[in-house]
Amino acid sequence: MNSLIPFNKPYIAGKELHYIAQAVTLGNISGDGEFARRSASIMEERFKIHKVLLTPSCTAALELSAMLVDIQPGDEVIMPSYTFVSTANAFARMGAKPVFVDIRPDTLNLDDRLIEQAITEKTKAIVPVHYAGVACEMELISTIAEKYNLKVIEDAAQGVNSLYHDQYLGSIGELGCYSFHETKNFICGEGGAICLNSEELVDRAHILRDKGTNRQAFFQGLVDKYTWCDIGSSFVLSEINCAFLYAQLEMFDQITQRRQQIFDTYYQSLLPLEQNQQLRLPCIPEDCTSNHHMFYILLPNKTVRDGLMNHLKQKQITAVFHFVPLHTSPMGEKWGYKLGDLPISEQAGDCLLRLPFYYEITADEQKRVISEIQDYLSHSVSQIDRAIPLAFPATEL
C-alpha cells in the first residue's frame, strides 16, 4: 500500500532548536526579546515596513488592527466572504458589521470593482485578503479608500513575501497582518505580526499590544513606572516562538524558491487538463509576484470536487477544500445574508480543492498526486459532468 501523502507537513529549517536554546540562555522567554527584535528587523528591512510587531497569531494582529483604527459598534467593514473567520471576527467583536463583497473569478480575491457600491456613511475600513499569496488590486483599492477616507487593513496571512508591483504585501495599507501558523510558508507553530506603515500608529500599538500599558516606554527609560493607559490586551508573541521563527526567516529565499518549484511542477503537469476544460488552475496576474503559498484546482462543480477529494483519500492522498463562505454561515445569516447573494464566493466554496503542498514533498509524491487527478478526471467523471462548463473558465496568465 502507498504511504500517506499529508496535506501539510511543517518544515524545520535547521536552527530552530539552537535558537530556542539561545533564547533560554539569554533569560527572556516571555516576549519582545532578542529574537523578536531580529525577526522584526528582517521583515522591516526586506519588506520596507516602518514597524513590525510580533503577535501570537494573525487573528491577534487583526484584532489589534481593529482596535488601532477605533472600530466602534455600528461601523461597517468591507471584506470578502471567501476568507477565514478571523477576518470578520476581529471587527465583529468590536461591534462592527462585516460587509461581504464577492470575489473576482480569476484570482479569488476581493472584487475591487464591487467595493465602491458597498460603501455607506457607516463604512470605516476595507480589508483586502490576499488569497493564496496573490495580491489584491491594491492600486484601485487604495484609490477608493482615499476617496472615501477609509482605512485599508491588509489581511496578508497567506501573503508573507509576496509582492504587488514592487511593494510587499503588508506594506501597502495603513496596517498589514501576517500569519506564521504551521500551515504557512514561514512558521513558528502559532504566530503572527502586525505591520505598522506610519509612525503615528506605533506608540498606541505598543500600548494596546501590552495589556493597555506603557510598559515599552518604561523599558526604554522614557517613564519611571508603567501604568494602565488604554483598553488593550495581551498581543505579545512568546520569545520561544520568535526564536523558532527567526530560523525560518533566515531561509526566506530558499523556502520561497522550493515552493515555486513545487507550484510549477503541479502547474505544468496539470495544464493539459485545464486546456481540456476539465479543471482550472490558479491565476497569478503579471503585476503580482506570488510566494506560492498553496496550489489549488477548481473543478466543474461540487460533485466532481467531492468525488476527486474522496478518490484521493482512498489513495492515501490528503487534499482539502478551503473556506466555507462566511455569508452562508449561521453568523452571516444573522447579518441578513443568504445563499445566492455572492455567487462567485459560493462557487469557490463548492469547486475548489487544495493539493498537498509542503517543503519536503518529493517528486514521486507529486507524481502520485498528479497521476491520480488525471486518472479520476479522465475515467471516473460522468459524461454529464464533463459536459458542464467550468464555473471558473480558464484565465490567460
Side-chain angles (χ1 to χ4, degrees):
M1 179 180 288
N2 288 321
S3 59
L4 175 68
I5 300 177
F7 169 67
N8 178 65
K9 186 184 295 184
Y11 172 61
I12 307 301
K15 291 186 177 179
E16 286 85 352
L17 295 179
H18 173 68
Y19 287 149
I20 287 171
Q22 281 192 19
V24 172
T25 301
L26 288 170
N28 172 22
I29 59 173
S30 62
D32 283 338
E34 176 65 17
F35 286 98
R37 183 191 64 77
R38 291 188 197 179
S39 295
S41 293
I42 284 182
M43 289 184 279
E44 289 165 358
E45 293 169 12
R46 184 183 185 98
F47 302 152
K48 305 295 189 293
I49 293 169
H50 180 73
K51 186 69 176 178
V52 172
L53 298 176
L54 279 298
T55 61
S57 62
C58 187
T59 300
L62 286 162
E63 291 175 355
L64 181 54
S65 295
M67 297 165 71
L68 276 171
V69 301
D70 291 319
I71 295 296
Q72 299 293 322
D75 286 344
E76 294 179 353
V77 180
I78 292 172
M79 63 184 67
S81 170
Y82 196 67
T83 183
F84 190 57
V85 64
S86 295
T87 311
N89 250 339
F91 301 92
R93 68 191 296 275
M94 303 291 288
K97 175 187 176 181
V99 175
F100 296 124
V101 169
D102 215 347
I103 54 176
R104 293 168 50 136
D106 54 357
T107 60
L108 309 187
N109 280 327
L110 182 67
D111 194 331
D112 42 281
R113 300 163 298 181
L114 303 177
I115 292 173
E116 198 159 7
Q117 67 193 51
I119 295 172
T120 72
E121 69 279 358
K122 297 180 180 179
T123 306
K124 188 72 172 284
I126 304 171
V127 185
V129 177
H130 303 299
Y131 186 71
V134 175
C136 294
E137 187 51 63
M138 292 305 297
E139 186 173 352
L140 180 56
I141 291 172
S142 298
T143 299
I144 293 171
E146 185 175 356
K147 178 179 177 180
Y148 292 95
N149 193 29
L150 305 176
K151 303 296 185 184
V152 175
I153 300 165
E154 295 177 75
D155 184 337
Q158 301 173 19
V160 181
N161 205 37
S162 292
L163 293 102
Y164 173 75
H165 295 290
D166 59 350
Q167 292 180 282
Y168 282 95
L169 304 188
S171 74
I172 304 169
E174 279 86 1
L175 294 157
C177 302
Y178 290 156
S179 173
F180 304 113
H181 185 269
E182 71 166 35
T183 57
K184 300 302 190 291
N185 296 28
F186 315 100
I187 64 173
C188 64
E190 279 275 11
I194 185 169
C195 307
L196 308 168
N197 294 314
S198 66
E199 174 63 35
E200 65 184 31
L201 295 170
V202 174
D203 287 345
R204 186 159 183 252
H206 274 301
I207 290 171
L208 297 182
R209 177 173 169 266
D210 217 344
K211 296 93 173 171
T213 73
N214 59 345
R215 188 165 70 158
Q216 284 302 311
F218 170 71
F219 287 152
Q220 294 168 19
L222 302 177
V223 294
D224 60 357
K225 59 182 178 296
Y226 70 87
T227 187
W228 189 19
C229 302
D230 206 334
I231 298 174
S233 191
S234 182
F235 290 134
V236 177
L237 181 64
S238 160
E239 188 68 4
I240 298 295
N241 293 70
C242 293
F244 192 109
L245 178 62
Y246 183 64
Q248 298 266 317
L249 300 184
E250 284 188 317
M251 302 279 285
F252 258 130
D253 292 330
Q254 182 175 330
I255 290 173
T256 299
Q257 288 165 10
R258 172 63 183 139
R259 295 186 76 91
Q260 181 173 357
Q261 182 183 47
I262 297 165
F263 184 99
D264 289 346
T265 297
Y266 275 137
Y267 192 95
Q268 295 303 322
S269 300
L270 295 172
L271 186 57
L273 294 177
E274 178 176 81
Q275 292 167 340
N276 199 34
Q277 298 189 357
Q278 292 171 279
L279 54 73
R280 209 209 78 187
L281 301 175
C283 172
I284 304 175
E286 288 186 2
D287 56 3
C288 299
T289 303
S290 175
N291 63 0
H292 301 102
H293 168 59
M294 71 170 84
F295 195 93
Y296 64 83
I297 54 177
L298 290 156
L299 286 310
N301 52 54
K302 189 176 187 296
T303 301
V304 177
R305 192 276 305 274
D306 291 351
L308 175 57
M309 183 166 59
N310 290 330
H311 171 78
L312 294 174
K313 183 179 180 180
Q314 291 170 6
K315 300 295 183 178
Q316 295 291 293
I317 297 169
T318 309
V320 300
F321 61 83
H322 208 182
F323 304 129
V324 175
L326 296 181
H327 75 281
T328 66
S329 69
M331 284 299 295
E333 291 174 3
K334 286 185 178 181
W335 279 301
Y337 293 97
K338 63 184 183 303
L339 196 65
D341 284 346
L342 304 175
I344 306 300
S345 299
E346 292 165 25
Q347 288 173 357
D350 286 345
C351 300
L352 187 142
L353 188 67
R354 296 178 65 185
L355 305 186
F357 199 120
Y358 48 91
Y359 188 97
E360 294 172 312
I361 192 170
T362 65
D364 285 343
E365 286 173 330
Q366 275 197 278
K367 285 178 183 176
R368 267 180 62 198
V369 176
I370 293 160
S371 176
E372 293 298 343
I373 293 171
Q374 292 169 333
D375 181 68
Y376 183 81
L377 293 180
S378 297
H379 301 112
S380 301
V381 176
S382 72
Q383 292 297 324
I384 293 175
D385 284 320
R386 284 188 195 145
I388 297 172
L390 280 175
F392 296 87
T395 304
E396 292 294 329
L397 300 184

